[in-house]
Amino acid sequence: MPDSLCGTHVTSDLTADLIPPGEIAEDLRERQGWPKTVCRVLVDGVVVLYIEMQMQTTPLDPMELATEHWQMMFGDPRRLDIGDSAVVGDHGIAVLAACPGYKEGASYSVDILVKNRDPDDVDSNRVALEAFAREYFPQSRQDAGC
């Protein structure tokens, strides 16, 4: 397992729960004109994890995203105590926290979607996503200058 994922240090124990064995590759892209970075993690050429990191300059509620825009990925979303606001669902997690180092009122968000896992094992997905986000989000936020 890698010691960093999408530019952020990670613990191999946590990535092992989300990333199956195989040849790992990353496709990291900054979206031009947006304060957003998108990272796809591939194992043997198949996307297994999708991570989107961005600065939000308008108020955002992860629960609204989960229930109004990403229903298929979240399914039965539940709030968590990560960052200022977080929600975990069947196949994804969204975390948001203030980023005073960027600009007044800005927030940093990380959305993580897990792909190609057993779609019926949502309890395992939720546990793995929450554990991963609890480590990944604070480090990613710090790396972003927040």
Side-chain angles (χ1 to χ4, degrees):
M1 288 293 144
D3 62 352
S4 71
L5 198 59
C6 303
T8 297
H9 175 74
V10 292
T11 302
S12 63
D13 293 349
L14 296 174
T15 55
D17 289 338
L18 290 175
I19 301 173
E23 185 177 331
I24 298 172
E26 291 181 14
D27 178 20
L28 184 65
R29 298 179 187 177
E30 289 191 23
R31 298 214 27 209
Q32 295 199 357
W34 291 76
K36 177 191 282 191
T37 301
V38 174
C39 180
R40 297 181 320 149
V41 178
L42 300 91
V43 174
D44 298 331
V46 176
V47 176
V48 295
L49 204 61
Y50 176 87
I51 301 175
E52 187 175 283
M53 301 153 281
Q54 68 180 322
M55 293 295 178
Q56 305 287 344
T57 55
T58 58
L60 177 70
D61 179 5
M63 184 61 83
E64 182 181 321
L65 274 178
T67 57
E68 295 181 18
H69 303 289
W70 292 347
Q71 301 95 338
M72 295 290 289
M73 290 294 182
F74 278 81
D76 190 25
R78 296 182 196 137
R79 290 201 183 269
L80 295 174
D81 64 342
I82 305 173
D84 293 341
S85 183
V87 65
V88 65
D90 295 346
H91 305 286
I93 191 166
V95 185
L96 177 82
C99 184
Y102 182 68
K103 73 164 60 163
E104 183 69 31
S107 294
Y108 180 72
S109 69
V110 173
D111 305 319
I112 305 167
L113 303 175
V114 65
K115 306 272 195 175
N116 293 311
R117 284 180 53 109
D118 182 349
D120 296 325
D121 192 6
V122 295
D123 291 335
S124 174
N125 288 345
R126 287 171 180 268
V127 168
L129 282 163
E130 181 178 350
F132 181 76
R134 285 193 183 280
E135 178 182 314
Y136 191 85
F137 180 77
Q139 185 62 51
S140 177
R141 183 172 171 254
Q142 180 180 338
D143 292 348
C146 297

